[in-house]
Amino acid sequence: MLTIFTPAYNRAKTLPRLFASLCNQSNYDFEWLIIDDGSQDETLQVVQGFLAEKRFPVRYYKKENGGKHTAYNTALELAQGQWFLCVDSDDLLADHAVEMIQKTAEKLAEHQGIIAYKQDFSGKCLSGEFPTELDTVGINELVLNYGCGGEFTLIFPTSLAKKYPFPVFDGERFVTESVIYDRLDPVCKMRLLRETVTVCEYQADGYSQNINGIIARNPKGYSVYFMQRIDVYPSLKQKMIAAGKYWSFRWMGGKPPVRYTGKHRTLTSLCLPLGLIFRVYYKFVRGF
């Protein structure tokens, strides 16, 4: 069974179309797990309508507002499916998406997941085309070695995903999803599914539309991201830039600091002056 997890914060208006796309699936071997991150609109009433229809298992859990990453962690604790897929509340599933996922999952070895395409509501593909010579690949290998960028749909084995929750910092409401993808990457290769699974729309109040403010308000989360990138990036230049940004966000985050413990400690220490340059850039150019 597949767990389709949806984090929701004041998305009563968009959840019905996601529900409709789930109802249109050709395979109902899934549960829909909705984590309400402290909504103040009619989300509960809307979900009660979904529950009344009894089309497939729907579970709803409301928590205190803490950000999408905390909703994700809660979903990991509650998920009952063998596979774990996050579908945002303003997105929907393509026709036959669950069926395609289930058929691909039958071919997977242990500790393998699935990576598939995304598109927007106009039909434009948001994902780089997968290399024809590959069947399975690591996420970072796909992006950094093969130059296949963009946005993708990711499905992980639930038992493996549970081992890598998001870090949570007091007072911060966001940690980029790349943090957990980087942690899963060494232990979970991804089977390529050359089909669109998720159809996306970006809301005016969504993360992608407010990135500058989000970065400024969540320095510890970004210090972790750049700290991990030091070890992920293949080139010396990329590592040095990541190290400089790590220092900048580490200082912005205050105490207790996020300490780098990776395999490039000497290089990271040498990049401290670069961190000062990035700190000046973020303060006077980006405004935080």
Side-chain angles (χ1 to χ4, degrees), residues 240-241 244-245 248 273-283:
M240 291 178 65
I241 291 173
K245 291 182 178 180
S248 177
L274 188 57
L276 293 172
I277 296 174
F278 275 113
R279 183 67 195 98
V280 170
Y281 164 76
Y282 284 117
K283 183 174 183 179

Side-chain angles (χ1 to χ4, degrees), residues 168-275:
V168 177
F169 303 103
D170 290 342
E172 298 198 7
R173 293 288 186 272
F174 179 79
V175 177
T176 176
E177 293 172 0
S178 294
V179 167
I180 57 167
Y181 299 160
D182 285 348
R183 295 180 179 186
L184 279 162
D185 184 64
V187 296
C188 185
K189 296 297 183 183
M190 308 297 283
R191 183 89 177 193
L192 303 181
L193 173 56
R194 293 176 170 84
E195 300 285 350
T196 295
V197 166
T198 313
V199 182
C200 305
E201 182 180 50
Y202 298 106
Q203 301 295 316
D205 59 345
Y207 287 126
S208 59
Q209 302 299 320
N210 300 278
I211 189 63
N212 208 50
I214 289 169
I215 293 174
R217 293 190 296 271
N218 300 279
K220 287 186 182 294
Y222 275 93
S223 66
V224 169
Y225 167 67
F226 287 114
M227 177 183 73
Q228 294 182 178
R229 291 270 111 181
I230 297 169
D231 291 346
V232 168
Y233 283 135
S235 75
L236 176 61
K237 179 180 178 181
Q238 289 172 312
K239 291 180 185 297
M240 291 178 65
I241 291 173
K245 291 182 178 180
Y246 156 72
W247 280 113
S248 177
F249 284 103
R250 171 174 162 164
W251 294 326
M252 290 168 59
K255 297 182 179 181
V258 174
R259 298 187 182 279
Y260 174 74
T261 58
K263 56 187 178 182
H264 298 288
R265 299 182 193 180
T266 300
L267 173 65
T268 300
S269 297
L270 292 173
C271 289
L272 191 149
L274 188 57

Side-chain angles (χ1 to χ4, degrees), residues 117-128:
Y117 294 145
K118 279 187 178 183
Q119 69 178 44
D120 64 18
F121 274 41
S122 71
K124 177 184 177 182
C125 186
L126 302 174
S127 314

Side-chain angles (χ1 to χ4, degrees), residues 18 31 46 49 54 81 89 104 109-110 128 134 139 151 171-172 208 211 217 250 257 265:
L18 173 53
E31 63 167 352
V46 169
K54 299 181 179 180
S89 54
T104 305
E110 187 179 9
L134 295 179
I139 298 172
E151 298 189 36
E172 298 198 7
S208 59
I211 189 63
R217 293 190 296 271
R250 171 174 162 164
R265 299 182 193 180

Side-chain angles (χ1 to χ4, degrees), residues 156-170:
F156 294 107
T158 304
S159 59
L160 194 59
K162 285 177 181 287
K163 298 178 181 180
Y164 299 92
F166 278 97
V168 177
F169 303 103
D170 290 342

Side-chain angles (χ1 to χ4, degrees), residues 13-29:
K13 292 183 178 180
T14 60
L15 281 170
R17 71 183 181 194
L18 173 53
F19 176 67
S21 76
L22 297 178
C23 291
N24 288 334
Q25 294 300 307
S26 55
N27 184 320
Y28 278 0
D29 188 21

